[in-house]
Amino acid sequence: MAQIHIDYNQILQLEKQKRVHLINSLGGFKSVALVGTSDKNKNTNLSIFSSFFHIGANPPLIGMIFRPSPPERDTMRNILDTGFYTVNHINESIFKKAHQTSARYEKGVSEFDATGLNSEFKNDFFAPFVAESKVQLGIEFKQKIDISINNTMMIIGEIVQIYIPENCLFDDGFIDLEKANTITCSGLDSYHKTLQLDRLSYAKPDKEITSLL
Amino acid sequence: MAQIHIDYNQILQLEKQKRVHLINSLGGFKSVALVGTSDKNKNTNLSIFSSFFHIGANPPLIGMIFRPSPPERDTMRNILDTGFYTVNHINESIFKKAHQTSARYEKGVSEFDATGLNSEFKNDFFAPFVAESKVQLGIEFKQKIDISINNTMMIIGEIVQIYIPENCLFDDGFIDLEKANTITCSGLDSYHKTLQLDRLSYAKPDKEITSLL
């Protein structure tokens, strides 16, 4: 297999959109989900993000990255104004509608209405869930960290509500996301379903790894 | 499809290992890769991580999360001491060896030797690449941000060297990671290959999304 080598100067000299596609592809397959928010007047907003990461289990924390403002970031403003948001997994039946939420709609247009995805309010949680999502998380905003190096922002939230399909939860706490039809993405615009290779036992220096399946 | 609802108090009351599996599963499929480092004496270290995220394309930045010390984190210490590390994608032929790097080996044992993965030094880059990886990145350390809420740390690095299979790079900069056999993971121990559903056109309010394939 022939490899291409691209060095730092070549990266910087790439045409802008080509660099954006390339660098977005390099991190590997990504956690992609729809973030639902409401403003103070209960106007809903929905937007796709692919920069989620695990920060800790106790307390249960999830992180995500926001690109610099301006332009105005409705999702970020709603999170800071109201303190709540939802993270909704994307499945094969809704990935095109999910992608469409990234269009720059006029002020006042909810991406729920524009894409045909349905909002769902439950358990008195302030922000809207996506009814079509099978794995839905209610998140409470905890901290905003400015990343000065390129003016992006990290938002840290605590997972306070979990909705998952009954038949996807294992006794040990593992969730079979594949059975829940959760998909993944790569780059800016490529969507993928998955095929499980294996679940592996806890690794120890003196022990052969075994399959947990 | 029946859904289970787990609220905040129930999350906190879960048995520790069950909560760890559950919360690690909730973020969706993750970017998983092997991080290669050397200490000042050129002793190599290799460790699997699943918390990578895109921060920006210009400059080309990648982020990752480290759990609290102690115990001593060799990868983190080498990054801070030497300023360089590699990020190596995991493919189907090496995912068991990659998982095995998470075992807690004695001081002085390189995970390259312990797992049989081969180190590769090239282009005068200080840190070791994984020879069996098809997508290899050389990263220069830029910033460490302490996340006080749970004592974790975010490391931000700049992508300064890129090695990718020649036949996986598209004209627009997109990398076909599926063709490169890059895999993804979920939870703590589940590995998955992918099946591309589609690449979608840039979303606009007044336009139907089309396939780029």
Side-chain angles (χ1 to χ4, degrees):
Chain A
M1 173 203 61
Q3 253 186 341
I4 307 176
H5 175 217
I6 305 173
D7 70 17
Y8 188 61
N9 287 327
Q10 289 171 314
I11 297 172
L12 296 189
Q13 281 159 19
L14 285 172
E15 181 268 316
K16 184 187 168 192
Q17 270 311 110
K18 189 162 178 175
R19 183 172 51 237
V20 167
H21 277 287
L22 180 74
I23 303 300
N24 266 283
S25 299
L26 286 177
F29 291 100
K30 300 188 280 190
S31 302
V32 60
L34 287 161
V35 174
T37 54
S38 294
D39 68 14
K40 289 179 200 158
N41 300 317
K42 303 274 178 86
N43 297 306
T44 60
N45 185 279
L46 188 66
S47 190
I48 191 168
F49 286 86
S50 62
S51 61
F52 299 95
F53 46 94
H54 174 80
I55 297 188
N58 191 20
L61 298 174
I62 188 167
M64 60 184 295
I65 300 292
F66 281 84
R67 304 195 47 218
S69 305
E72 172 83 352
R73 307 281 171 194
D74 291 338
T75 299
M76 164 78 93
R77 194 201 55 227
N78 288 346
I79 291 174
L80 297 179
D81 281 357
T82 70
F84 294 97
Y85 54 110
T86 65
V87 170
N88 307 271
H89 284 206
I90 297 168
N91 52 63
E92 190 172 349
S93 1
I94 60 168
F95 80 97
K96 289 182 185 174
K97 290 178 177 175
H99 185 77
Q100 183 63 40
T101 63
S102 63
R104 192 158 288 287
Y105 290 102
E106 277 175 49
K107 213 168 166 55
V109 174
S110 169
E111 291 82 3
F112 281 105
D113 300 330
T115 62
L117 291 166
N118 288 291
S119 61
E120 182 180 16
F121 289 90
K122 51 188 174 187
N123 202 40
D124 288 329
F125 195 75
F126 183 80
F129 295 95
V130 176
E132 290 83 354
S133 286
K134 295 174 185 174
V135 176
Q136 305 164 315
L137 310 177
I139 316 280
E140 186 175 339
F141 167 72
K142 284 290 157 184
Q143 196 177 357
K144 171 171 165 289
I145 295 178
D146 294 319
I147 302 176
S148 56
I149 194 168
N150 70 343
N151 293 314
T152 51
M153 283 147 286
M154 172 165 64
I155 290 287
I156 300 176
E158 188 164 15
I159 301 171
V160 295
Q161 303 287 340
I162 300 171
Y163 294 91
I164 44 176
E166 198 170 18
N167 61 358
C168 295
L169 181 61
F170 279 43
D171 285 342
D172 67 356
F174 174 76
I175 304 171
D176 187 339
L177 294 178
E178 202 161 292
K179 201 169 180 181
N181 295 130
T182 294
I183 64 169
T184 177
C185 77
S186 65
L188 290 176
D189 50 29
S190 184
Y191 296 88
H192 309 254
K193 59 182 177 181
T194 63
L195 274 174
Q196 190 178 41
L197 294 166
D198 212 342
R199 271 193 81 188
L200 301 179
S201 59
Y202 190 83
K204 293 184 176 179
D206 51 353
K207 228 178 121 182
E208 192 86 8
I209 282 173
T210 55
S211 170
L212 299 180
L213 296 182
Chain B
M1 172 203 60
Q3 253 185 341
I4 307 176
H5 175 218
I6 305 173
D7 70 17
Y8 188 60
N9 288 325
Q10 290 170 314
I11 298 172
L12 296 189
Q13 281 158 21
L14 285 172
E15 181 268 315
K16 185 187 168 192
Q17 270 311 109
K18 190 164 178 174
R19 182 173 50 238
V20 168
H21 277 288
L22 181 74
I23 303 299
N24 266 283
S25 299
L26 285 176
F29 292 99
K30 300 188 280 190
S31 302
V32 61
L34 287 162
V35 174
T37 54
S38 293
D39 67 15
K40 290 178 200 159
N41 302 318
K42 304 273 178 87
N43 297 307
T44 61
N45 185 279
L46 188 66
S47 189
I48 190 168
F49 286 87
S50 62
S51 61
F52 300 95
F53 46 92
H54 175 80
I55 297 188
N58 190 19
L61 299 173
I62 187 166
M64 60 184 295
I65 300 292
F66 281 83
R67 304 195 47 218
S69 306
E72 172 83 352
R73 306 281 171 194
D74 292 339
T75 300
M76 164 78 92
R77 194 200 56 226
N78 288 347
I79 292 174
L80 297 179
D81 282 357
T82 71
F84 294 97
Y85 53 110
T86 65
V87 170
N88 307 271
H89 284 208
I90 298 168
N91 53 62
E92 191 173 348
S93 4
I94 60 168
F95 79 98
K96 289 182 186 175
K97 289 178 178 175
H99 185 77
Q100 182 64 39
T101 63
S102 63
R104 191 159 288 288
Y105 290 101
E106 277 175 51
K107 214 168 166 53
V109 175
S110 168
E111 291 82 3
F112 281 104
D113 300 329
T115 62
L117 290 166
N118 289 290
S119 61
E120 181 180 16
F121 288 91
K122 51 187 173 186
N123 203 38
D124 287 330
F125 195 74
F126 182 79
F129 295 95
V130 175
E132 291 83 354
S133 285
K134 296 175 183 172
V135 177
Q136 305 163 315
L137 310 177
I139 316 280
E140 185 175 339
F141 168 72
K142 283 290 157 182
Q143 195 177 358
K144 170 171 165 288
I145 295 178
D146 294 319
I147 302 176
S148 55
I149 194 169
N150 72 342
N151 293 316
T152 51
M153 282 147 287
M154 172 164 67
I155 290 287
I156 300 176
E158 188 164 14
I159 300 171
V160 294
Q161 302 288 340
I162 300 172
Y163 295 91
I164 45 177
E166 198 170 19
N167 61 357
C168 296
L169 181 62
F170 280 43
D171 285 341
D172 68 357
F174 173 76
I175 304 172
D176 188 340
L177 294 179
E178 203 162 290
K179 201 168 180 180
N181 295 129
T182 294
I183 63 169
T184 177
C185 78
S186 66
L188 291 176
D189 50 29
S190 185
Y191 297 88
H192 310 254
K193 59 182 178 181
T194 62
L195 273 175
Q196 190 178 42
L197 294 166
D198 212 342
R199 271 193 82 187
L200 301 179
S201 59
Y202 190 80
K204 295 185 176 178
D206 51 352
K207 227 177 127 185
E208 192 86 10
I209 282 173
T210 56
S211 170
L212 298 181
L213 297 181

